Amino acid sequence: MTTHIHLRQFIHRTRLPLKNRSLVGSTYLRRSSFCTFSPGEDLGPVSKRRSRGPVMAAKKASEGQKQEDGRYKHTIDLPKTKFGMRANAVTREPELQKLWEDNQVFKRVADKNNGGSFVLHDGPPYANGGLHMGHALNKILKDIINRYKLLQNYKVHYVPGWDCHGLPIELKVLQSMDQDARRELTPLKLRKKASKFAKETVNVQMKSFKRFGVWADWNNPYLTLSPEYEAAQIEVFGQMVMQGYIYRGRKPVHWSPSSRTALAEAELEYDEKHISRSVYAIFKLVSVSPASSDLLKDFLPNISVAIWTTTPWTIPANAAVAVNPGLLYAVAELHPHLDDNSTPSKANNPN
């Protein structure tokens, strides 16, 4: 039979001197205000019992006896909870995200709000590979804004999308092929391979965005290669043509010799350490307007327009020289520097 007694009774029964009572009280109060003993058990001095504890435990262990487990556990009332003591994010985060997806948490919260509408159409990333820190920064910042709007009682609708056309996707496809396969590749075959690669990449990136914890309408994204999207683009382009916004003109087109395709401004990379050397160049006049023919007829056909540029690599592609009707131009006759023994020659080069 086991009996529970109060700490003060324990001190009184052991008849310890007064100087030892404070020591016993301070020691045992940190653990429990109760202790357990069996009737007839000789408690003895506390210090002696405590010193025998490790010795007896070692003796039982050497004799193969199992030490009692949790002898005083039932005397302590500790809180019990199923909440994990560790974050264990590798396991817990996918569980939480699955809970959000199964219960349509984003849609239910947005539908419950009765404020105004907040619609965010995502600026589409390229479907050309795995995600990086730029993708994470972009999507997480948008997710913060959407959740903030949800807390402000807005009906938030976030539409994700992917750009499935362009050089980055084609380059990824070409990099996965050897030289022989590239030679036999036709434009139609390249388009089919690029379409297949883009669709596979969309699924991979979508799983990663979900793993980031981003809330969006993942079941209804827009893809630029879908027939519905392309039909809508053609319709809008047709309306722009009918209203006169589309016209034919001239503009510089950047060309990539290695990729054999045109490049957009965003796809150009400049060497920051490059030093451009300025040059002077002349462009010969092939004809003049009737208004200027009387002034320049004496100089034709040996007259040119002089220019100065800091981008000399653009000279081969130049098609025209711009002049300002509000400025005054002069015709200058230049002579080269000659040695005393050389014969002078005339050159008409305007300044």
Side-chain angles (χ1 to χ4, degrees):
M1 173 178 172
T2 302
T3 306
H4 300 278
I5 65 173
H6 197 270
L7 183 60
R8 291 181 180 178
Q9 298 175 358
F10 170 76
I11 297 174
H12 176 70
R13 290 193 180 190
T14 54
R15 298 178 181 179
L16 295 175
L18 183 62
K19 63 180 181 179
N20 292 335
R21 292 185 186 181
S22 61
L23 174 63
V24 174
S26 64
T27 302
Y28 279 85
L29 278 175
R30 292 182 185 143
R31 301 181 182 179
S32 175
S33 60
F34 293 88
C35 63
T36 305
F37 75 99
S38 300
E41 181 181 355
D42 185 14
L43 298 176
V46 176
S47 59
K48 185 177 180 180
R49 283 175 51 81
R50 292 179 62 188
S51 63
R52 287 207 319 259
V55 177
M56 295 301 295
K59 183 178 179 181
K60 289 182 178 181
S62 63
E63 295 175 356
Q65 299 181 13
K66 186 177 180 181
Q67 194 172 2
E68 296 182 11
D69 184 20
R71 182 178 179 184
Y72 301 103
K73 184 169 64 176
H74 64 282
T75 67
I76 303 175
D77 187 14
L78 296 177
K80 295 181 176 60
T81 178
K82 295 182 179 179
F83 192 83
M85 298 302 292
R86 296 182 179 180
N88 198 15
V90 175
T91 303
R92 292 290 295 161
E93 284 186 2
E95 292 175 354
L96 289 174
Q97 291 160 6
K98 187 176 185 303
L99 177 68
W100 295 344
E101 185 175 2
D102 294 343
N103 293 276
Q104 296 292 307
V105 174
F106 176 46
K107 184 178 183 302
R108 290 170 63 183
V109 173
D111 293 343
K112 185 178 179 181
N113 290 347
N114 53 15
S117 296
F118 181 79
V119 180
L120 177 58
H121 276 264
D122 193 15
Y126 269 121
N128 66 326
L131 303 185
H132 51 70
M133 288 301 298
H135 292 101
L137 177 64
N138 180 286
K139 285 294 185 293
I140 292 173
L141 288 177
K142 292 175 181 176
D143 190 60
I144 292 173
I145 295 173
N146 288 333
R147 292 176 188 247
Y148 174 69
K149 288 296 183 181
L150 282 174
L151 295 175
Q152 289 187 316
N153 201 32
Y154 281 91
K155 290 183 175 295
V156 176
H157 187 50
Y158 182 29
V159 185
W162 277 269
D163 188 346
C164 304
H165 295 100
L167 180 62
I169 298 173
E170 295 175 2
L171 288 178
K172 283 289 185 178
V173 174
L174 293 174
Q175 289 172 1
S176 64
M177 303 172 64
D178 55 24
Q179 292 292 338
D180 296 335
R182 291 185 186 183
R183 293 191 189 98
E184 299 177 359
L185 191 62
T186 62
L188 289 179
K189 290 182 180 180
L190 177 59
R191 292 174 191 173
K192 289 182 180 180
K193 290 181 176 293
S195 175
K196 180 181 177 181
F197 175 82
K199 291 177 180 178
E200 294 174 351
T201 306
V202 165
N203 293 329
V204 173
Q205 290 190 2
M206 184 184 296
K207 291 179 182 178
S208 299
F209 285 138
K210 289 181 180 179
R211 189 65 179 84
F212 287 168
V214 177
W215 282 358
D217 188 6
W218 298 115
N219 295 327
N220 300 292
Y222 70 90
L223 307 178
T224 59
L225 57 71
S226 63
E228 298 82 6
Y229 188 92
E230 292 178 339
Q233 281 187 316
I234 294 174
E235 181 181 0
V236 172
F237 185 78
Q239 294 176 1
M240 295 173 66
V241 172
M242 297 300 294
Q243 297 181 24
Y245 293 113
I246 306 299
Y247 59 91
R248 184 181 296 275
R250 290 180 177 271
K251 63 169 292 185
V253 177
H254 303 283
W255 181 261
S256 172
S258 59
S259 303
R260 295 179 297 173
T261 184
L263 298 175
E265 286 285 348
E267 295 171 328
L268 298 179
E269 295 183 2
Y270 294 95
D271 184 5
E272 298 294 338
K273 298 181 180 179
H274 174 73
I275 299 176
S276 176
R277 301 189 181 279
S278 63
V279 297
Y280 290 94
I282 58 173
F283 291 87
K284 192 172 182 179
L285 290 179
V286 294
S287 64
V288 295
S289 64
S292 304
S293 61
D294 294 338
L295 297 174
L296 302 175
K297 64 181 180 179
D298 294 337
F299 303 98
L300 292 174
N302 299 318
I303 187 171
S304 303
V305 177
I307 62 101
W308 175 76
T309 178
T310 58
T311 55
W313 61 86
T314 62
I315 296 295
N318 274 19
V321 176
V323 295
N324 190 340
L327 297 180
L328 182 62
Y329 292 88
V331 178
E333 186 177 19
L334 301 181
H335 296 274
H337 178 71
L338 301 175
D339 296 334
D340 295 338
N341 298 328
S342 61
T343 303
S345 62
K346 184 176 181 180
N348 293 329
N349 291 325
N351 189 3

